[in-house]
Amino acid sequence: MATWFSRRILKDVLLKRISSRPLQGSRCYSSVAENVSKITHPSKKGRLLTGVTLGLVIASGAYVSTVDEATFCGWLFSATKLVNPFFALLDPEFAHWLAVSAAARGWVPREKRPDPSILGLEVWGRKFSNPVGLAAGFDKNAEAVEGLLGMGFGSVEVGSVTPIPQDGNPKPRIFRLRSEGAIINRCGFNSEGIVAVAKRLGAQHGKRKLDETSSASNSTSDEVKHGGKAGPGILGVNLGKNKTSEDAAADYVQGVHTLSQYADYLVINVSSPNTPGLRTLQGRKQLKDLVKKVQAARDEMQWGEEGPPPLLVKIAPDLSRTDLEDIAAVALALRLDGLIITNTTISRPEAVSRNPVAAETGGLSGKPLFDLSTNILKEMYVLTRGKIPLIGCGGISGGEDAYKKIRAGATLVQLYTAFAYGGPALIPQIKAELAECLERDGFKSVVDAVGADCGRL
């Protein structure tokens, strides 16, 4: 608007300049001399003043237009709060489908404002503009990666993706505990399969490469570029196994062979409570054998300068101290690239025990999971001696929660349930609050705060 206004002023000034010169020769040639004598020629000072005025108008117009864009962007995110009550009236799974569809079609706000510099960090050689990511389970089939990254997440994890398409468990399978800020789900890896997901990710990867090529001439050599293979943020691919599969390792290997070329990092999900027998893969011997096979499958592929995508394992919160020690030992021995801590819980903390919905079978996520998952995170950070990047997931609903996860040992954080309730407006809010927490306590970066509550290792 301001840019248009500046152009309009310039146009008006030029028109006035032209109109100040009488063009009456068309009326009668006898009056030409008289008219010419009346033409006033602007002085050098006048021309200089006009030029300076136009320059200031154009410059101020460009400045105001930039401010307006940021302000308008903030307004769009805030406006999405008006839609939340409507989603609350819908069936949970239909509301989820509607949200994914909106993001896939670009009917969501796009973040135009840069993230606070204090939030930027590098992990696995990938540059994250901020540590706040979207956990797996929201965009199961990679339908809305571009829209979700465009909202300002530092990373988006799609999946879990199974080799063969499967419907998952019978509906209803998602239940809200709104007053507790929680959700129970027993979806059971409903997935369109790796072929469908590979097609979508392949198209997005090609578009990203095309955009990079077209913008290469406009970028400087020392410019810091955030993002990965699918857009402005980092893309993770969460791999699962089919319910009826008798060879779990073969399922994960198939996922690696098909999808790893499109991923900035890969996740072996062995912690969903909704697939029978899956959590037994967290045992020391089972996990070691599985990780070895998946690592071998990844490493036998041809990779460019960036190398293969990092491999992470997502674990459950319902583990004993011995279980955690076993997982830490495997992670260190096999040089696992990271752990996601944690998945949903089959326990029912006291905060939800009185809610009748808590009796539903499935994994609990949201606020009641925060303390349990954060304690597991802190234990695992100590057990791995801070040598393995950890992603803190479970119960984050604000910037202070994200900060507590980081102080407990998380390098990156993920959310899902709070996003389902709060919508897009939650993303800039969490980032702003997290930046304030870091600055308040004197940290200069996210990395400086990692494990601050764990003491010396």
Side-chain angles (χ1 to χ4, degrees), residues 260-417:
S260 60
Q261 60 185 313
Y262 307 120
D264 292 305
Y265 70 87
L266 294 167
V267 182
I268 303 174
N269 188 350
V270 291
S271 52
S272 170
N274 302 311
T275 297
L278 185 69
R279 288 192 168 189
T280 61
L281 296 174
Q282 295 174 111
R284 186 168 189 150
K285 183 181 184 303
Q286 296 92 326
L287 183 62
K288 186 175 182 179
D289 291 343
L290 175 61
V291 171
K292 277 185 174 181
K293 291 178 181 178
V294 176
Q295 284 179 331
R298 178 199 61 177
D299 295 343
E300 70 186 10
M301 299 175 67
Q302 296 295 321
W303 299 103
E305 294 181 0
E306 293 183 352
L311 183 65
L312 290 73
V313 170
K314 187 169 186 175
I315 68 172
D318 311 303
L319 296 170
S320 67
R321 174 73 181 189
T322 302
D323 293 332
L324 295 178
E325 290 173 351
D326 288 343
I327 292 172
V330 171
L332 289 170
L334 299 182
R335 296 183 179 180
L336 199 62
D337 297 299
L339 293 167
I340 300 181
I341 305 170
T342 64
N343 211 317
T344 59
T345 179
I346 56 175
S347 68
R348 295 294 182 264
E350 187 177 351
V352 302
S353 59
R354 296 181 181 179
N355 191 320
V357 180
E360 293 288 349
T361 303
L364 174 74
S365 62
K367 290 182 179 180
L369 177 59
F370 181 80
D371 289 339
L372 176 60
S373 62
T374 304
N375 289 336
I376 297 292
L377 170 65
K378 190 172 182 178
E379 285 191 65
M380 191 57 70
Y381 181 78
V382 173
L383 288 171
T384 56
R385 303 188 292 278
K387 294 182 177 181
I388 298 176
L390 306 178
I391 299 180
C393 181
I396 295 175
S397 58
E400 189 73 38
D401 292 335
Y403 181 54
K404 288 178 180 177
K405 293 280 190 186
I406 290 169
R407 291 185 64 100
T411 301
L412 304 167
V413 297
Q414 291 181 338
L415 59 145
Y416 177 0
T417 301

Side-chain angles (χ1 to χ4, degrees), residues 90-114:
L90 303 175
D91 169 78
E93 188 151 0
F94 179 71
H96 177 212
W97 173 85
L98 198 61
V100 173
S101 298
R105 289 164 175 76
W107 298 345
V108 290
R110 190 170 185 85
E111 184 58 85
K112 300 291 185 180
R113 300 160 294 183

Side-chain angles (χ1 to χ4, degrees), residues 13-289:
V13 170
L14 291 175
L15 287 175
K16 288 180 180 179
R17 175 65 57 79
I18 294 172
S19 63
S20 68
R21 300 177 182 177
L23 301 176
Q24 298 174 0
S26 60
R27 294 181 181 177
C28 60
Y29 291 105
S30 61
S31 63
V32 170
E34 180 182 355
N35 289 334
V36 171
S37 65
K38 293 181 180 179
I39 296 177
T40 58
H41 297 280
S43 65
K44 289 184 179 180
K45 289 184 178 180
R47 290 196 298 270
L48 181 61
L49 181 61
T50 302
V52 170
T53 302
L54 288 175
L56 288 173
V57 169
I58 294 171
S60 62
Y63 173 75
V64 172
S65 67
T66 303
V67 174
D68 282 350
E69 183 179 57
T71 302
F72 184 65
C73 181
W75 179 86
L76 281 179
F77 275 91
S78 297
T80 61
K81 295 178 182 178
L82 301 174
V83 185
N84 292 343
F86 166 72
F87 275 84
L89 298 175
L90 303 175
D91 169 78
E93 188 151 0
F94 179 71
H96 177 212
W97 173 85
L98 198 61
V100 173
S101 298
R105 289 164 175 76
W107 298 345
V108 290
R110 190 170 185 85
E111 184 58 85
K112 300 291 185 180
R113 300 160 294 183
D115 287 330
S117 58
I118 196 172
L119 298 183
L121 71 164
E122 184 173 327
V123 189
W124 310 304
R126 277 76 173 159
K127 295 184 183 299
F128 292 71
S129 63
N130 71 78
V132 183
L134 179 62
F138 185 84
D139 189 7
K140 290 176 176 287
N141 298 302
E143 299 173 80
V145 174
E146 186 175 353
L148 293 169
L149 286 174
M151 281 193 280
F153 281 112
S155 60
V156 167
E157 190 175 308
V158 300
S160 295
V161 187
T162 58
I164 301 172
Q166 63 179 29
D167 294 330
N169 293 322
K171 300 178 182 179
R173 54 193 179 186
I174 302 177
F175 308 90
R176 296 189 184 103
L177 294 83
R178 179 168 293 278
S179 59
E180 292 84 2
I183 288 175
I184 292 175
N185 93 83
R186 52 169 179 263
C187 291
F189 284 170
N190 50 311
S191 173
E192 292 182 10
I194 58 175
V195 174
V197 172
K199 287 181 179 179
R200 292 193 184 104
L201 292 182
Q204 293 161 10
H205 182 62
K207 183 177 181 297
R208 170 71 167 172
K209 288 295 183 183
L210 183 62
D211 291 343
E212 287 179 349
T213 302
S214 62
S215 62
S217 58
N218 299 323
S219 63
T220 59
S221 58
D222 59 346
E223 181 181 0
V224 177
K225 296 181 179 179
H226 299 101
K229 296 183 178 179
I234 300 297
L235 174 66
V237 176
N238 186 300
L239 304 174
K241 67 175 285 292
N242 283 110
K243 183 177 182 178
T244 58
S245 175
E246 297 181 358
D247 189 345
D251 279 14
Y252 291 110
V253 166
Q254 190 174 352
V256 168
H257 284 160
T258 307
L259 299 175
S260 60
Q261 60 185 313
Y262 307 120
D264 292 305
Y265 70 87
L266 294 167
V267 182
I268 303 174
N269 188 350
V270 291
S271 52
S272 170
N274 302 311
T275 297
L278 185 69
R279 288 192 168 189
T280 61
L281 296 174
Q282 295 174 111
R284 186 168 189 150
K285 183 181 184 303
Q286 296 92 326
L287 183 62
K288 186 175 182 179
D289 291 343

